[in-house]
């Protein structure tokens, strides 16, 4: 599977290669199409980066070709584009293809509304930004975000801010058993009112940067947790970078509710950059679309143990004959068992946040 997806990716990078895609009369091949990366979406106009990292890197504004009118194009999508791809003022290119997505972060408006929206495509990890105090951390919100990430096929990074106000031990204890990486930021020692009192300790910013390098990361966090401060510390001039305005459309000044991909600068000269996707308008992630088996698949050991579960098992605390209980019970007393118990408890708590469910089996 991994091999095949890599081959597809390579084929995508060589748009002139013939015969790799099915063709129809309505869909010409567009052999001259160029690959681009969608960094912003605003009312039918797509901001793309072409020749990323190359000598002719440029920002191009595009619309969708007619044959894609029913297809959603979202931030993070890798697309092929034709038409005027010069990136000059008043030009408009055309998206003709969307590459297969490696991950899809979705949300539902709320848990009972099945209407799904795709937030970001092809992201590697979800960075859940939470303050250690002011406001108090809410584990329910963290759990729900983690479920959405695992369902999407993404890793989870927990970024705890305001470490000057409270210790991180308790939250580490809840999430590290799941394999969640935890990173902590604090204000700079000399942060004062003159600087807005919000400057972050540079060492902690670099700790975060190291975990974002070379990856596409989606940042999620409620207001007041310091997410904007973090984004601005990671990506100086972020505001300016999102203000690409196209004169054809008068658009490109993105509303505060849309996701936008910001390039993480190569601050330490290692040559590895990354992308930070900010999601200002996403205040909650409805989880009606989440599938338990997708979440379970993020945990190889639990997934394997659960193959012995009865059909329709919820895997939650108290679920009848859940094989995860047997998996734990069969582990000899000691450190491994303690670690497994913590992992299973964390997994079940996170999974239960999806619906606020108890361990009752589903109907049928
Ligand atoms: Zn089970």
């Amino acid at each position: 599977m991994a091999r095949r997806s890599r081959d597809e990716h390579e084929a995508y990078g060589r748009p002139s290669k013939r015969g790799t895609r099915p063709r129809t009369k309505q869909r010409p091949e567009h052999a001259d199409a160029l690959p681009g990366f969608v960094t912003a979406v605003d009312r039918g106009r797509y901001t793309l980066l072409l020749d990323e990292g190359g000598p002719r890197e440029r920002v191009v504004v595009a619309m969708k070709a007619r044959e894609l009118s029913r297809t959603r194009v979202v931030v993070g999508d890798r697309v092929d584009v034709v038409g005027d791809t010069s990136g000059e003022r008043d030009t408009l290119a055309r998206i003709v293809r969307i590459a297969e997505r490696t991950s899809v972060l979705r949300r539902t408006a709320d848990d009972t509304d099945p209407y799904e929206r795709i937030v970001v495509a092809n992201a590697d990890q979800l960075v859940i930004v939470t303050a250690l105090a002011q406001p108090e951390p809410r584990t329910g919100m963290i759990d729900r975000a983690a479920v959405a990430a695992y369902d999407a096929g993404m890793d989870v990074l927990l970024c705890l801010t305001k470490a000057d106000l409270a210790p991180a031990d308790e939250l580490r204890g809840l999430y590290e058993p799941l394999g969640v990486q935890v990173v902590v930021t604090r204000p700079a020692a000399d942060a004062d009112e003159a600087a807005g009192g919000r400057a972050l300790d540079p060492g902690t910013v670099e700790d975060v940067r190291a975990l974002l390098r070379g990856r596409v990361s989606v940042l999620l966090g409620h207001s007041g947790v310091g997410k904007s401060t973090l984004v601005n510390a990671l990506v100086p001039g972020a505001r300016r970078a999102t203000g690409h305005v196209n004169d054809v459309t008068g658009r490109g000044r993105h509303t505060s509710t849309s996701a936008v991909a910001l390039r993480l600068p190569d601050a330490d000269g290692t040559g590895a950059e990354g992308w930070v996707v900010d999601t200002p308008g996403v205040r909650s992630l409805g989880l009606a679309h989440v599938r338990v088996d997708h979440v379970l698949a993020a945990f190889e050991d639990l997934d394997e143990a659960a193959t012995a579960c009865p059909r329709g098992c919820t895997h939650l605390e108290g679920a009848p004959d859940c094989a995860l209980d047997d998996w734990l019970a069969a582990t000899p007393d000691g450190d491994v068992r303690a670690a497994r118990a913590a992992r299973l408890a964390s997994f079940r708590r996170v999974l239960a946040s999806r619906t606020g469910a108890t361990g009752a089996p589903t109907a049928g």
Side-chain angles (χ1 to χ4, degrees):
M1 289 299 276
R3 177 57 190 263
R4 192 181 68 191
S5 70
R6 183 164 60 244
D7 287 347
E8 283 164 0
H9 183 74
E10 287 169 6
Y12 162 76
R14 278 179 261 124
S16 62
K17 184 175 168 184
R18 289 177 172 273
T20 54
R21 290 167 202 283
R23 271 179 286 167
T24 68
K25 272 178 287 185
Q26 287 74 32
R27 191 172 299 181
E29 192 184 31
H30 297 303
D32 57 339
L34 300 175
F37 176 68
V38 179
T39 61
V41 177
D42 184 20
R43 290 168 295 179
R45 291 294 180 269
Y46 303 85
T47 306
L48 313 179
L49 188 66
L50 266 62
D51 197 20
E52 181 181 344
R56 292 206 57 222
E57 180 177 290
R58 59 205 184 274
V59 174
V60 169
V61 176
M63 59 182 287
K64 281 192 298 190
R66 251 174 73 188
E67 61 260 36
L68 295 180
S69 61
R70 292 170 181 274
T71 310
R72 285 264 289 162
V73 175
V74 300
V75 168
D77 265 325
R78 298 274 169 185
V79 298
D80 285 352
V81 65
V82 300
D84 190 333
T85 55
S86 65
E88 283 164 21
R89 287 168 67 100
D90 302 353
T91 61
L92 191 60
R94 202 163 82 252
I95 297 169
V96 293
R97 273 192 295 268
I98 304 168
E100 190 177 342
R101 293 163 174 158
T102 58
S103 74
V104 180
L105 180 64
R106 303 167 197 274
R107 62 188 292 222
T108 324
D110 65 58
D111 287 346
T112 56
D113 171 8
Y115 182 69
E116 288 178 28
R117 299 154 212 270
I118 300 176
V119 182
V120 179
N122 300 320
D124 301 303
Q125 64 184 352
L126 183 65
V127 184
I128 306 170
V129 185
T130 305
L132 284 159
Q134 298 178 17
E136 289 297 304
R138 290 164 48 202
T139 55
M141 180 283 243
I142 302 171
D143 290 346
R144 292 172 61 86
V147 164
Y150 291 131
D151 179 71
M154 296 163 63
D155 293 332
V156 176
L157 172 63
L158 183 58
C159 180
L160 302 171
T161 64
K162 308 188 187 181
D164 54 319
L165 299 180
D169 310 3
E170 194 180 332
L171 286 173
R172 280 187 188 279
L174 285 175
Y175 294 98
E176 283 182 340
L178 286 175
V180 170
Q181 280 197 288
V182 179
V183 66
V184 170
T185 68
R186 66 179 70 246
D190 58 355
D192 57 23
E193 291 305 311
R198 301 176 72 188
L200 290 174
D201 176 80
T204 61
V205 173
E206 292 316 303
D207 291 343
V208 178
R209 187 189 306 280
L211 294 167
L212 306 186
R213 193 170 287 138
R215 312 197 82 194
V216 178
S217 305
V218 180
L219 266 66
L220 186 74
H222 283 245
S223 62
V225 301
K227 187 187 67 166
S228 300
T229 305
L230 179 62
V231 169
N232 288 330
L234 288 166
V235 189
R239 232 171 266 283
R240 187 161 33 98
T242 61
H244 180 83
V245 177
N246 183 274
D247 289 339
V248 169
T249 61
R251 290 171 177 169
R253 203 177 288 281
H254 306 290
T255 62
S256 61
T257 55
S258 58
V260 60
L262 307 166
R263 182 189 252 149
L264 188 72
D266 176 22
D268 58 3
T270 59
E273 301 177 325
W275 286 92
V276 171
V277 181
D278 195 13
T279 55
V282 179
R283 309 218 184 286
S284 67
L285 291 164
L287 301 174
H289 62 278
V290 167
R291 284 179 46 180
V292 172
D293 56 334
H294 286 179
V295 179
L296 191 59
F299 306 93
E300 202 175 328
D301 51 347
L302 302 179
D303 197 22
E304 192 184 325
T307 56
C309 282
R311 216 180 153 73
C313 183
T314 63
H315 314 302
L316 295 173
E317 191 73 47
D321 301 319
C322 179
L324 297 178
D325 292 312
D326 303 334
W327 171 76
L328 183 59
T331 310
D333 270 331
D335 291 347
V336 173
R337 181 159 178 177
R340 285 187 174 185
R343 183 170 170 85
L344 181 56
S346 290
F347 169 75
R348 283 177 159 161
R349 188 195 67 249
V350 166
L351 192 63
S353 75
R354 185 172 72 102
T355 54
T358 63
T362 52

